Amino acid sequence: MSKTTQAPKALRGVGNFIDDRFHLAKTGEKNLRKVFPNHWSFMLGEIALYSFIILLVSGVFLTLWFKPSMVEVIYDGSYERLQGVPMSEAYASTLFIDFEVRGGFLVRQIHHWAALIFVASLVVHMLRVFFTGAFRKPREINWLIGVAIFMLAMIEGLFGYSLPDDLPSGMGVRILQGVILAVPLVGTYISMFLFGGEFPGEDIITRLYMLHVLAIPALLLGLIVAHFMILWHQKHTQYPGPGRTDKTVVGTPMFPGFAVKAGGFFFFTFAVIAGLSAFVQINPIHLFGPFTPTSITSGLQPDWYMGFMEGALRIFPNWFDFSIFGYAVPMGVLVPGLGIMGVVFGGLALWPFIEQWITGDKRARNVADRPRNAPVRTGVGVAMITFYGLCWLAGSNDILSETFSINLYLTTYIFRVLVILGPIVAFMVTKRICLGLQRRDRDTLEHGYESGTIRQLPSGEFIEVHKESSEETTDVLASKPVITSTALADEVDDKGVENPAARKGKGRLRRALAHWYTKDNVSFEGVEPHSGHHLHHSKDVEKESAAH
């Protein structure tokens, strides 16, 4: 006879006391049994969350000793190479953390590595959402929140990188000031206000510190909480498979399965960050010395997520600079410094609504697309990655020039050509690959897969036997959506009269974009899934079947 295990009497009393007043038992049970789909790519967002937690904890540790002040002091700490060197209190306190505080250098390394992994996991997570169409209705608002988190994370990283006031970070602040000055009319006023006077001023570190430890983390925390609350309410998207539809979810319950997996994954993420921090040195500020406006060095780049802006600044020409009413408008700085950022983040924010407008598809989508089944979207995403990567690589044009003995100006001209042609070629190649994969999927769905078994027909011909795909593979292949657009369907009415709205400029633009978005797509309509063994040549198969 089995004995039922109950919670201790004291805990049952506390539980009953709370439930009698807040009625949380049913709600808690329902939420604990909430199902989460099983796929490794869904853990990318978890990495971002865990990295952010590590950032908060390590950041609190660092604030206990860091002094956000630009008051000049003479260093007399334990690092002998800089003894007697004048520097800001911010830089001196960072050296104190590195060499005087027990475990300080490790914690600062953990903080820096966690920041890099936080932004990297955000990027990969957003790419997963973009390529699978997980931003579609009803998740547009959560996508916008994700874009805002990404933008704030980059700004937060830039400000945190600038706080130690070492030579590389000071150069980064100088570039930031140059971009601010490029803003027409108000750029000089913004710069004077932010720096408290002429560059470098005495207030910039203090102001960046307040933004870095209070304002931006509070915004990030609020947006992350909102992001997860919406996710919890709307549920995850899921990949195609048996039993998975827009109304049913297949996966692991929150408790205990998913909770145990998520908890273990947090410690795994922390272990990776701690391992990198212990064995891979990053940003050794003691080797560069304090920042002074008259000093500069080569061979240094900012953190990877800001590298694309530096590359754009290096290669964008000044051919388009002009003056208006005596005010200079330096397009060579304004466009790569602010314009490209605006296009990137603006394009990310608007894409769900642009795609919905082109296709006219306003249905709720809970099953994710396979990237190959949305070739235009996938091509646009790869083109964007290519542009970003080329700009990032251009930020190292001085190192490339020295390493490969190429003229520095030649590398600049090469990158100017590549950032234009590269995304175009990437889009075309990606789209062709997606269409080729669609054709292969249709063939597999219709004829099965090649078994490797060779049979001889009565005619003497040797044929490879095709076998039926698994149920899961068949469901995945058959899940390909029909890509169409209401803009094309509404060109004419049932009497053949052209829709007046289609003749207007907006209608023509939408129809052209719809044609571009849907053309060349491989249709699966009328394809019946293959069942049973199949020999490729139907006439010979019929003869052999009749003989049997």
Side-chain angles (χ1 to χ4, degrees):
M1 182 176 179
S2 61
K3 183 179 179 180
T4 303
T5 304
Q6 292 184 340
K9 184 177 180 180
L11 291 180
R12 293 202 306 271
V14 173
N16 292 333
F17 177 86
I18 294 174
D19 191 54
D20 287 343
R21 286 152 181 80
F22 299 102
H23 307 290
L24 297 177
K26 290 185 178 180
T27 303
E29 182 180 2
K30 178 181 178 182
N31 286 321
L32 288 176
R33 301 303 297 171
K34 197 175 191 69
V35 174
F36 285 82
N38 293 317
H39 196 273
W40 64 266
S41 65
F42 293 121
M43 304 303 289
L44 296 170
E46 307 285 334
I47 297 175
L49 174 64
Y50 303 150
S51 301
F52 182 71
I53 294 172
I54 295 169
L55 277 171
L56 292 179
V57 175
S58 59
V60 170
F61 178 89
L62 296 175
T63 57
L64 299 177
W65 289 278
F66 181 73
K67 297 180 180 179
S69 170
M70 297 185 71
V71 174
E72 187 175 279
V73 297
I74 303 299
Y75 181 70
D76 61 352
S78 60
Y79 187 62
E80 295 184 358
R81 293 181 60 187
L82 290 176
Q83 286 183 354
V85 175
M87 61 185 64
S88 67
E89 279 193 313
Y91 186 65
S93 65
T94 308
L95 292 177
F96 180 83
I97 292 172
D98 285 353
F99 297 105
E100 312 288 343
V101 177
R102 187 178 298 273
F105 188 65
L106 175 63
V107 175
R108 194 173 70 81
Q109 293 266 111
I110 288 175
H111 192 71
H112 202 134
W113 272 114
L116 297 182
I117 293 177
F118 175 57
V119 181
S121 56
L122 280 177
V123 171
V124 181
H125 174 62
M126 291 185 68
L127 288 176
R128 196 276 302 174
V129 172
F130 180 85
F131 284 124
T132 61
F135 53 77
R136 294 172 296 178
K137 183 181 178 180
R139 297 176 176 82
E140 303 98 328
I141 294 177
N142 228 13
W143 171 258
L144 293 177
I145 291 175
V147 173
I149 291 173
F150 179 36
M151 181 172 62
L152 287 174
M154 291 182 64
I155 297 173
E156 174 78 343
L158 172 63
F159 289 173
Y161 176 83
S162 305
L163 288 180
D165 199 30
D166 58 308
L167 182 57
S169 68
M171 293 167 58
V173 174
R174 182 60 163 170
I175 294 174
L176 173 64
Q177 190 233 7
V179 173
I180 292 173
L181 289 175
V183 179
L185 299 178
V186 298
T188 52
Y189 297 100
I190 296 175
S191 175
M192 295 290 283
F193 170 77
L194 184 62
F195 288 89
E198 294 290 344
F199 179 87
E202 297 182 353
D203 300 326
I204 185 63
I205 296 296
T206 303
R207 291 173 177 175
L208 292 183
Y209 179 78
M210 299 303 293
L211 292 171
H212 181 73
V213 304
L214 288 178
I216 299 179
L219 289 173
L220 280 172
L221 185 60
L223 289 172
I224 290 173
V225 170
H227 188 75
F228 275 91
M229 288 180 66
I230 294 174
L231 172 65
W232 190 271
H233 176 71
Q234 294 179 338
K235 303 182 181 64
H236 259 297
T237 54
Q238 56 185 342
Y239 291 106
R244 300 168 187 174
T245 68
D246 286 328
K247 296 182 179 181
T248 58
V249 182
V250 177
T252 303
M254 171 65 186
F255 186 84
F258 186 80
V260 172
K261 180 170 64 175
F265 199 57
F266 169 78
F267 290 105
F268 180 78
T269 303
F270 178 73
V272 171
I273 292 175
L276 287 171
S277 304
F279 299 108
V280 183
Q281 181 174 260
I282 187 171
N283 196 26
I285 63 167
H286 54 280
L287 299 180
F288 305 126
F291 172 72
T292 57
T294 57
S295 300
I296 195 170
T297 186
S298 62
L300 289 174
Q301 283 74 37
D303 287 333
W304 69 268
Y305 50 86
M306 295 301 298
F308 84 100
M309 189 177 78
E310 177 163 340
L313 285 166
R314 291 190 183 195
I315 66 175
F316 198 88
N318 62 350
W319 306 333
F320 309 102
D321 296 354
F322 64 94
S323 297
I324 181 170
F325 302 117
Y327 291 96
V329 183
M331 301 296 288
V333 177
L334 188 62
V335 171
L338 293 177
I340 292 178
M341 293 277 283
V343 170
V344 170
F345 288 110
L348 285 173
L350 293 176
W351 180 262
F353 308 99
I354 293 173
E355 183 174 304
Q356 187 181 94
W357 180 67
I358 292 174
T359 61
D361 185 3
K362 298 183 180 180
R363 293 171 292 175
R365 297 287 191 173
N366 294 320
V367 177
D369 283 338
R370 302 174 76 203
R372 68 185 65 182
N373 291 336
V376 172
R377 181 202 301 147
T378 303
V380 169
V382 173
M384 180 176 62
I385 294 172
T386 303
F387 176 78
Y388 185 99
L390 288 170
C391 286
W392 174 80
L393 197 60
S396 303
N397 66 341
D398 55 337
I399 297 177
L400 294 173
S401 175
E402 181 181 1
T403 303
F404 297 102
S405 300
I406 305 173
N407 183 276
L408 179 63
Y409 295 104
L410 178 60
T411 63
T412 302
Y413 295 132
I414 290 173
F415 278 114
R416 285 177 180 175
V417 174
L418 288 179
V419 294
I420 296 174
L421 295 182
I424 297 174
V425 173
F427 173 82
M428 296 172 62
V429 171
T430 302
K431 184 179 178 182
R432 289 295 116 191
I433 292 174
C434 289
L435 294 175
L437 291 173
Q438 286 186 30
R439 294 187 183 94
R440 189 185 70 178
D441 287 348
R442 184 177 63 182
D443 184 69
T444 302
L445 181 64
E446 188 173 16
H447 301 293
Y449 68 93
E450 297 175 352
S451 65
T453 301
I454 305 299
R455 294 184 62 182
Q456 186 179 16
L457 299 180
S459 62
E461 182 181 4
F462 288 93
I463 298 296
E464 183 174 22
V465 178
H466 283 216
K467 288 188 176 180
E468 180 182 5
S469 301
S470 65
E471 179 186 358
E472 182 172 359
T473 300
T474 301
D475 285 345
V476 170
L477 297 180
S479 68
K480 181 184 179 299
V482 179
I483 300 180
T484 184
S485 173
T486 56
L488 299 177
D490 296 340
E491 286 189 58
V492 294
D493 59 19
D494 54 355
K495 296 181 180 180
V497 178
E498 185 178 8
N499 187 347
R503 294 198 297 265
K504 299 179 180 179
K506 185 178 178 181
R508 290 180 180 275
L509 174 62
R510 186 185 175 211
R511 191 166 65 248
L513 290 174
H515 180 69
W516 167 72
Y517 194 87
T518 60
K519 72 174 183 177
D520 300 328
N521 189 54
V522 179
S523 175
F524 278 32
E525 289 187 79
V527 176
E528 293 293 333
H530 168 77
S531 60
H533 297 292
H534 176 72
L535 300 178
H536 193 66
H537 297 281
S538 57
K539 292 184 179 179
D540 291 330
V541 172
E542 291 174 1
K543 292 178 181 178
E544 188 179 36
S545 300
H548 288 289

